[in-house]
Amino acid sequence: LVGSLGKQLQILNSMESYFKKIVEKLTAFPDPENPYGELEKLQMLYALETISYNLLTAFVILFIPFLIDTFQETLLLFCIFGTLRIIAGGFHFDHILKCITATSFIIITEGKASQIIQISLPVCLLLCLITNLLFFIHIPRGTENNPYSESYSQLQIKRLRFLSVFLTFFAVCFAQIRTIVLFAMLTVAIFLVPDLYRRFR
C-alpha cells in the first residue's frame, strides 16, 4: 500500500513538473506588437498554471465517475460545488497535489453516495438552515495570493446569499437532485469553517 501511494505521488509530481514546463514555454513566446515585462510574465505564468491545474482536476473528477457509472450525478455536483466555491472561497490546501487529491476524492465519493442516499425533507430543511446560516455570515475575502477588494467582496456576499437561497429552493422542491445539491452546499460550508473560526475566535 505504501509503495502504491509512493508511486502515485511520483506520477502526480511528474505531471506537475510537466505542466510547469509547458506553462513556462507558453509564457516564453514573445509578442512583438505587445511586449510584456517580468510582472506581466509572472501574471501569465500564474494564470496558465491555475487553468492547467483546474483542467487536470476536472478531468480526474469526471473521468473516474464515467468509469463507475456516476457521471451525471458527479457532473451536477461538481458544477454546483465549483460555482459555490468560486464565490465563497474558504479553506485552501498549501499544495496543488493535496488540492487535486482531496477535491477529487470528495466529489467522486459524494457523487457515488448520492446514488445510494436519499435525504428526507425534514433533514433537508435542517441542513439548508445550517448551510444558509454559514453562507449568510461568511464574508468572501479571496485568497492570500488573490485577495478581493472591499467592493468585490460585497458583490460576492450578495452572489453567495442569492445562490444559497436559490439552491435551497431546488433542494426542497426537487427530491431527485436534493442529495446532490445538499452534498455540494455542505462541502463548501465545511471548507468555510476554518475561516469563520479564525474570524470569531
Side-chain angles (χ1 to χ4, degrees):
L1 182 64
V2 173
S4 174
L5 283 170
K7 205 173 270 186
Q8 287 172 359
L9 279 171
Q10 254 183 344
I11 292 166
L12 284 170
N13 277 321
S14 299
M15 287 173 72
E16 186 179 7
S17 300
Y18 179 69
F19 271 110
K20 277 189 174 176
K21 283 176 186 173
I22 291 173
V23 167
E24 282 167 7
K25 282 183 180 178
L26 285 170
T27 55
F29 283 117
D31 184 356
E33 293 180 12
N34 299 295
Y36 49 83
E38 195 60 32
L39 178 61
E40 287 83 0
K41 188 177 176 181
L42 287 170
Q43 288 172 334
M44 286 172 62
L45 189 67
Y46 176 72
L48 286 167
E49 278 185 358
T50 304
I51 291 166
S52 61
Y53 292 144
N54 286 339
L55 286 173
L56 175 62
T57 306
F59 174 77
V60 171
I61 286 172
L62 296 176
F63 180 68
I64 295 173
F66 179 76
L67 297 178
I68 60 174
D69 199 30
T70 59
F71 181 79
Q72 289 180 339
E73 293 86 353
T74 308
L75 177 61
L76 179 58
L77 195 148
F78 184 46
C79 289
I80 297 169
F81 168 83
T83 306
L84 270 173
R85 183 87 162 121
I86 288 167
I87 295 169
F91 174 77
H92 282 271
F93 290 95
D94 58 0
H95 197 281
I96 190 65
L97 294 178
K98 291 179 186 176
C99 179
I100 291 171
T101 306
T103 306
S104 301
F105 176 77
I106 291 166
I107 299 298
I108 292 166
T109 304
E110 288 180 352
K112 189 65 182 173
S114 67
Q115 287 185 326
I116 304 161
I117 300 167
Q118 292 298 318
I119 296 175
S120 65
L121 185 58
V123 175
C124 169
L125 291 169
L126 175 63
L127 293 175
C128 284
L129 180 66
I130 294 166
T131 53
N132 273 279
L133 179 64
L134 288 173
F135 290 149
F136 269 70
I137 63 172
H138 174 63
I139 302 170
R141 298 288 190 192
T143 63
E144 285 183 19
N145 293 331
N146 186 26
Y148 294 157
S149 66
E150 191 60 38
S151 59
Y152 191 68
S153 183
Q154 291 302 316
L155 179 63
Q156 292 293 75
I157 290 169
K158 290 174 186 173
R159 287 173 175 169
L160 180 60
R161 289 173 180 175
F162 170 79
L163 189 57
S164 178
V165 172
F166 181 76
L167 290 172
T168 298
F169 169 78
F170 267 83
V172 170
C173 295
F174 300 99
Q176 315 93 289
I177 60 167
R178 179 179 295 156
T179 304
I180 295 169
V181 173
L182 284 171
F183 276 168
M185 291 174 74
L186 280 169
T187 306
V188 175
I190 289 166
F191 276 118
L192 299 183
V193 170
D195 278 359
L196 291 168
Y197 173 74
R198 280 194 296 270
R199 184 175 150 205
F200 292 107
R201 188 174 54 185

